Amino acid sequence: MNKIIIGSTCIKYHYPDFNREPKDLDIAIDIETTNKNTGIEYLYNPILFKYCSTEYLDPNLLLSLKVSHLFWDINWEKHMWDVQFLYKKGCVLQLDYLKEQMKFWEIHLPKVQRSRLNQSKKDFFNNAINADENEHDLLHEKLAEYPAYKKILKDGCDVELDENKWDRLTFEEKCDVVYEETSVMAYERYKPELYWKKAFNRQLKDNIIKHFPLYIALFAIENYIELSNPKKNYQEKLCS
């Protein structure tokens, strides 16, 4: 059985200034086992061993492993805190590993129903949230004269987005995409009954887990500290 130390102990090993003391020792293993030791948690994760063979997981892979967990609502806030710490330390996301790890989680973790954008507007908005297929877009237009999502729509599509167009946006334009989509969806689900910042952050988390395409979700994760503290109260505009 091969082993790699992961989790808080691994972060603390690489960065002694990490200010959360590990409660136990997390060890990734490459075979499934029922063995249990007090203070040690063995976690079956054979994917890691294709990318790393050291005793402690490489910091860039550790960041990528933590990011992969953010697409499931399991210890989400703790993983996000660790991700922000690792980004501040200059760690770099390993996209190939991330994608392979997520495919493994999709088999071994609870199913998450993620949005499929390759649909018509009529089919996509056929739900209990929107009054009709145009309501969502009308809310966007109340929020911004030219909604940011229109800059990245795939040609000839009403809902599906174009990653190449996203890549050409400025940082500020990408922030606008995240802010506007999260604001509109938060308003649809929570209206003014929930304080706007609390509703926004609840929806931002939900969008990362279920609704954003991977490339937008990864942008929102990397810039989460800024994006989770919006300066504009969307409720004021949408309620007017």
Side-chain angles (χ1 to χ4, degrees):
M1 178 171 67
N2 293 309
K3 302 177 182 179
I4 300 177
I5 296 172
I6 58 174
S8 301
T9 301
C10 185
I11 301 179
K12 193 79 172 176
Y13 171 80
H14 291 296
Y15 307 106
D17 60 332
F18 182 63
N19 65 2
R20 189 176 73 244
E21 289 299 323
K23 293 182 179 179
D24 53 19
L25 178 61
D26 293 331
I27 299 179
I29 56 176
D30 60 349
I31 61 172
E32 295 188 76
T33 180
T34 57
N35 288 346
K36 292 185 178 181
N37 292 325
T38 303
I40 300 177
E41 186 171 6
Y42 292 109
L43 302 161
Y44 176 58
N45 187 349
I47 306 302
L48 275 179
F49 295 88
K50 296 174 61 176
Y51 292 84
C52 184
S53 59
T54 56
E55 181 182 5
Y56 289 84
L57 188 62
D58 171 85
N60 295 324
L61 289 172
L62 183 58
L63 166 68
S64 307
L65 174 61
K66 286 283 183 179
V67 168
S68 76
H69 286 302
L70 293 176
F71 295 90
W72 282 264
D73 192 3
I74 303 172
N75 297 323
W76 198 89
E77 284 72 20
K78 184 183 80 168
H79 288 308
M80 179 59 84
W81 198 97
D82 292 349
V83 163
Q84 298 311 311
F85 177 86
L86 292 168
Y87 268 128
K88 285 181 182 177
K89 290 296 184 181
C91 295
V92 178
L93 189 72
Q94 307 298 293
L95 191 57
D96 288 344
Y97 161 68
L98 172 72
K99 289 180 177 179
E100 190 169 356
Q101 185 65 68
M102 287 179 64
K103 288 180 181 177
F104 178 79
W105 293 147
E106 286 169 1
I107 297 170
H108 292 271
L109 291 178
K111 276 285 184 189
V112 174
Q113 188 66 40
R114 294 190 169 91
S115 291
R116 293 185 302 105
L117 300 181
N118 57 338
Q119 302 181 68
S120 68
K121 186 189 292 190
K122 183 176 181 180
D123 291 335
F124 187 79
F125 291 110
N126 181 21
N127 55 51
I129 295 172
N130 303 101
D132 57 52
E133 63 192 69
N134 295 310
E135 182 186 33
H136 183 85
D137 290 351
L138 291 174
L139 288 172
H140 269 284
E141 288 167 11
K142 287 187 73 173
L143 203 57
E145 185 175 350
Y146 187 79
Y149 80 90
K150 289 187 175 182
K151 298 177 183 179
I152 57 172
L153 277 177
K154 184 171 283 191
D155 292 344
C157 297
D158 294 321
V159 178
E160 191 171 0
L161 305 178
D162 187 328
E163 186 174 358
N164 291 322
K165 290 183 178 180
W166 164 265
D167 290 339
R168 292 195 291 268
L169 295 182
T170 65
F171 176 81
E172 290 73 18
E173 288 173 322
K174 290 177 179 178
C175 288
D176 287 341
V177 170
V178 174
Y179 168 74
E180 290 176 21
E181 192 61 42
T182 303
S183 297
V184 168
M185 292 179 71
Y187 181 79
E188 290 172 331
R189 286 154 178 77
Y190 305 112
K191 298 296 191 290
E193 283 76 19
L194 187 64
Y195 177 61
W196 71 275
K197 281 194 174 183
K198 186 173 183 179
F200 182 93
N201 278 285
R202 185 180 293 181
Q203 190 60 49
L204 179 58
K205 173 183 174 180
D206 207 41
N207 283 359
I208 290 170
I209 294 173
K210 295 192 292 189
H211 299 301
F212 286 151
L214 180 63
Y215 54 92
I216 298 181
L218 293 179
F219 175 84
I221 290 167
E222 184 174 359
N223 299 284
Y224 183 78
I225 293 175
E226 178 173 347
L227 291 167
S228 63
N229 187 31
K231 306 299 188 293
K232 295 179 273 187
N233 183 345
Y234 65 88
Q235 287 181 354
E236 290 179 349
K237 272 200 169 184
L238 296 181
C239 289
S240 61

